[in-house]
Amino acid sequence: MYTVKANDHAGRPATFACGTADQALEKTWELARRGFKDIVVTDPKGHASNAAAFERSLDLA
């Protein structure tokens, strides 16, 4: 399971569980559009990375 953590515009932390890497990526995009900051994705192995690094790691090209 992937976990997406971010802070809202007021600085309150929020955590979201995602079943797949694609769902986690979609969630990072959604949160960024909604103004969330400090978005971090943790993969099932426990490796955490910021949203940009996570997106690069998926090699979408």
Side-chain angles (χ1 to χ4, degrees):
M1 177 157 312
Y2 289 82
T3 304
V4 180
K5 295 181 182 180
N7 294 323
D8 70 8
H9 62 281
R12 292 181 302 248
T15 303
F16 305 90
C18 301
T20 67
D22 289 339
Q23 290 172 340
L25 182 60
E26 292 276 335
K27 182 57 78 174
T28 64
W29 292 341
E30 174 193 343
L31 293 173
R33 280 193 309 272
R34 292 174 49 197
F36 281 69
K37 303 291 183 202
D38 304 321
I39 302 170
V40 175
V41 180
T42 304
D43 67 17
K45 295 179 182 177
H47 180 260
S49 57
N50 67 32
F54 178 70
E55 185 172 351
R56 284 191 306 269
S57 75
L58 294 180
D59 195 26
L60 299 175

